Amino acid sequence: MTVTDSDAKDLGRLDDGPDWTFELLEQYLAEIDRVAKLYQLDTYPHQIEVITAEQMMDAYSSIGMPINYSHWSFGKKFIETEQRYKQGQQGLAYEIVINSNPCIAYLMEENTLTMQALVMAHASYGHNSFFKNNYLFRSWTDAGSIVDYLIFARNYIRQCEERYGVDEVEQLLDSSHALMNYGVDRYKRPQKISLEQEKARQESREAYLQSQVNTLWRTLPRREEETPAATEQRFPTEPQENLLYFMEKNAPLLEPWQREIMRIVRKSSQYFYPQKQTQVMNEGWATFWHYTLLNHLYDEGKVSERFMMEFLHSHTNVVFQPPYNSQWYSGINPYALGFAMFQDIKRICLSPTEEDKYWFPDIAGKDWLETLHFAMRDFKDESFISQFLSPKLMRDFRLFTVLDDDQKPYLEISAIHNEEGYRHIRHQLAAQYNLSHLEPNIQVWNVNLRGDRSLTLRYVPHNRIPLDIGYKEVLKHVHRLWGFGVVLEQQNEDGSIVLLDRCPGPAQG
């Protein structure tokens, strides 16, 4: 028996396109919203914008923020993306979503109706609920002010370009961007961005910061024949991990407007820091919910088989995990791992095996929806994997560990599928999502206040991993911001200090 379009309407089935209209988008959004409420998804109000492929590339190239300030690196990434897209070497993101209140989702107008529905479920309900409820985003970001703050930042930088010259501003942004990963407070909660406070405090902050710097440097350099006092204290008294913040507050030669631009870069970097720690969870959560919500609509008879075939084709591509020996392998697909883990948590709650009861006694047989919301709210990638990765999932993904010890001339398969191996695999995989293991530990160690005013940075290797050779270029940017000599040291496991490099003398340009 064939169901005609008129029969489908009588059954309350939504039109399956493939072409979309704004009226159809509203109908799908209303149905998705209804089902999302059944699953207790708590979201910010959402705002959906439809943009062209070129606008999507532009937004994608400027770290997902279409209203960001201008910089040549964004244009470079736009050209690279455009060329790869036109040559068929990469596709485009179907959507971009902003952690804001209201939560803004950008849909590409070239999408089919099915893809628009998938994207609305994925972004406006999956990502949106994650942004609102995960503890890192609740603690470290203020979704209500980010859009206004970025507009303020863009206007301020544009004014600086008009007043001080594009080249001056561009060089400052170059150096600040080089240190963006070192403009983050990892262990203390930063102040949330507030546009009103930023505007109100801007002028007074500039004057105050400059007065503090002037007080700090109201010293005379010591003559070469003089010896430092034995009681002279080190500055700063404790190592500082936030290099951009330290430069902003203490660099001797920076003007107030330069400190403000560095502050803008630092605030932006801090805002995106939670996303770096939750990629597996965030994408897995959004993928789980677009899959669950649209399947729920299909079970209700709201969408057709044709709709589901296209949806499942796209979903399968998103969660595909190439094997380790495939030419397409580039690591573990965060969509695949995150989606599989949330699906697995649901399975453990609904149909636990004896193995599940042994490994997860606290959640086996419990309410799956409550458990999923708990996992989403209170974990980040590292702790999420450490807590919830099951032996079944390790077998499904065929996970094992390879020990690559720089002090041994061979590789060792150090964990296989037994209980000890499962625990080791879970521990090692979780460690791969620990940012402190991925980003070099470089801190401000000392400033020679009464001598040549040089800045000493100290690198502490993790597992004896040396710095990438690119550190030499980054050191030049540190030198430019500091204005005087910069020394980079390495502290080895035995406590010995090795000089890696130095940029002597006052910075030029």
Side-chain angles (χ1 to χ4, degrees):
M1 176 179 172
T2 303
V3 178
T4 64
D5 290 342
S6 59
D7 293 332
K9 291 179 181 178
D10 292 338
L11 294 171
R13 181 177 295 171
L14 297 166
D15 190 332
D16 58 7
D19 296 329
W20 61 269
T21 64
F22 285 105
E23 182 181 357
L24 281 175
L25 292 187
E26 289 178 355
Q27 293 175 12
Y28 270 89
L29 187 62
E31 291 295 333
I32 293 170
D33 184 78
R34 175 182 62 81
V35 177
K37 286 183 170 61
L38 297 177
Y39 290 104
Q40 303 170 24
L41 291 180
D42 178 26
T43 64
Y44 294 120
H46 47 250
Q47 177 179 330
I48 296 174
E49 306 281 351
V50 181
I51 60 178
T52 65
E54 186 173 70
Q55 289 172 318
M56 184 66 78
M57 283 187 282
D58 189 29
Y60 178 75
S61 63
S62 56
I63 59 174
M65 287 295 188
I67 50 177
N68 213 344
Y69 55 83
S70 300
H71 187 250
W72 65 267
S73 62
F74 301 151
K76 176 185 175 183
K77 189 170 184 180
F78 173 85
I79 293 172
E80 290 175 349
T81 303
E82 182 182 44
Q83 289 177 344
R84 291 172 64 87
Y85 174 62
K86 289 181 176 179
Q87 293 169 3
Q89 296 177 358
Q90 78 171 55
L92 285 182
Y94 294 117
E95 46 76 29
I96 286 178
V97 59
I98 297 178
N99 171 25
S100 59
N101 184 10
C103 182
I104 304 173
Y106 292 90
L107 281 60
M108 195 162 62
E109 69 176 10
E110 286 81 359
N111 292 345
T112 64
L113 179 61
T114 300
M115 288 308 305
Q116 302 293 41
L118 184 157
V119 164
M120 289 189 295
H122 183 92
S124 297
Y125 291 90
H127 285 308
N128 189 348
S129 61
F130 193 90
F131 289 148
K132 185 176 181 181
N133 295 285
N134 179 263
Y135 83 100
L136 279 176
F137 289 90
R138 292 198 316 269
S139 301
W140 293 54
T141 66
D142 181 6
S145 64
I146 182 61
V147 173
D148 287 340
Y149 182 78
L150 288 175
I151 293 173
F152 156 77
R154 182 179 64 184
N155 292 338
Y156 184 84
I157 290 176
R158 188 175 296 159
Q159 292 168 8
C160 289
E161 288 175 339
E162 294 173 356
R163 182 175 299 178
Y164 305 106
V166 173
D167 289 344
E168 281 289 320
V169 174
E170 187 175 284
Q171 286 186 0
L172 179 63
L173 285 173
D174 288 349
S175 297
S176 299
H177 283 187
L179 297 178
M180 280 189 78
N181 288 341
Y182 301 97
V184 173
D185 290 316
R186 292 179 171 83
Y187 305 109
K188 62 180 181 180
R189 185 179 302 175
Q191 291 183 339
K192 294 183 178 181
I193 293 172
S194 168
L195 178 64
E196 292 76 13
Q197 292 178 359
E198 292 295 319
K199 286 183 174 179
R201 296 176 181 174
Q202 181 183 336
E203 291 186 6
S204 61
R205 181 173 62 241
E206 288 180 356
Y208 174 74
L209 280 179
Q210 199 59 42
S211 70
Q212 293 297 102
V213 172
N214 292 343
T215 300
L216 174 66
W217 293 103
R218 194 173 290 132
T219 59
L220 293 175
R222 189 170 38 244
R223 295 177 182 176
E224 292 185 6
E225 61 271 14
E226 294 180 4
T227 57
T231 59
E232 185 175 307
Q233 293 186 343
R234 199 179 81 230
F235 178 81
T237 55
E238 295 181 350
Q240 300 293 306
E241 60 166 358
N242 194 327
L243 269 61
L244 269 184
Y245 180 82
F246 185 84
M247 298 285 185
E248 174 197 331
K249 300 298 182 185
N250 300 300
L253 305 180
L254 292 180
E255 298 292 333
W257 66 270
Q258 293 174 310
R259 301 183 198 280
E260 188 67 32
I261 288 180
M262 290 178 66
R263 178 182 174 85
I264 287 171
V265 173
R266 179 172 61 82
K267 285 284 188 181
S268 299
S269 180
Q270 188 77 62
Y271 194 81
F272 290 105
Y273 185 61
Q275 298 192 27
K276 295 168 65 176
Q277 298 184 86
T278 55
Q279 186 182 15
V280 170
M281 287 186 67
N282 201 343
E283 298 298 354
W285 180 258
T287 304
F288 175 88
W289 283 113
H290 81 227
Y291 181 82
T292 301
L293 296 176
L294 296 184
N295 269 285
H296 187 107
L297 289 178
Y298 175 71
D299 293 339
E300 291 183 341
K302 293 292 185 181
V303 296
S304 66
E305 286 83 357
R306 183 171 72 172
F307 175 97
M308 289 301 292
M309 289 296 289
E310 182 184 349
F311 158 67
L312 290 173
H313 174 74
S314 298
H315 171 80
T316 304
N317 287 337
V318 167
V319 299
F320 174 64
Q321 174 61 59
Y324 77 94
N325 56 355
S326 166
Q327 62 175 321
W328 311 114
Y329 180 79
S330 59
I332 296 179
N333 178 357
Y335 292 83
L337 181 60
F339 173 71
M341 287 189 65
F342 281 113
Q343 285 280 79
D344 198 49
I345 292 171
K346 181 179 178 181
R347 178 196 63 79
I348 293 170
C349 291
L350 292 176
S351 306
T353 64
E354 290 303 315
E355 181 182 57
D356 295 327
K357 293 176 182 177
Y358 173 75
W359 282 80
F360 304 102
D362 294 337
I363 67 172
K366 299 298 175 62
D367 182 277
W368 72 269
L369 190 57
E370 181 181 335
T371 303
L372 248 65
H373 281 284
F374 162 71
M376 175 272 292
R377 286 194 310 268
D378 297 334
F379 293 84
K380 57 183 178 180
D381 285 348
E382 178 193 3
S383 56
F384 178 66
I385 292 169
S386 180
Q387 181 74 19
F388 294 107
L389 183 65
S390 71
K392 177 186 181 300
L393 215 56
M394 295 182 219
R395 293 192 295 269
D396 291 346
F397 274 76
R398 296 180 172 87
L399 298 178
F400 59 92
T401 64
V402 179
L403 178 62
D404 184 5
D405 191 330
D406 64 321
Q407 297 180 335
K408 297 178 181 177
Y410 56 84
L411 299 178
E412 177 185 351
I413 306 299
S414 59
I416 56 175
H417 290 171
N418 54 35
E419 180 170 345
E420 182 181 355
Y422 288 138
R423 297 190 186 280
H424 187 65
I425 289 170
R426 187 161 68 174
H427 173 75
Q428 291 297 319
L429 183 60
Q432 290 186 19
Y433 295 91
N434 184 342
L435 289 187
S436 65
H437 294 173
L438 301 177
E439 296 177 349
N441 178 12
I442 300 177
Q443 299 181 346
V444 175
W445 183 255
N446 188 35
V447 174
N448 190 345
L449 289 178
R450 296 185 176 275
D452 60 6
R453 301 185 176 181
S454 61
L455 172 73
T456 299
L457 304 177
R458 184 164 291 184
Y459 167 57
V460 181
H462 174 70
N463 289 338
R464 300 182 301 278
I465 299 175
L467 277 177
D468 185 273
I469 192 64
Y471 77 82
K472 293 180 177 292
E473 292 301 316
V474 177
L475 204 61
K476 294 177 183 177
H477 289 292
V478 178
H479 184 234
R480 176 189 287 169
L481 294 175
W482 184 247
F484 291 90
V486 178
V487 177
L488 178 61
E489 302 174 341
Q490 175 174 310
Q491 180 174 318
N492 297 321
E493 288 182 338
D494 60 2
S496 61
I497 306 300
V498 177
L499 175 65
L500 292 181
D501 205 351
R502 66 169 68 239
C503 286
Q508 300 296 323

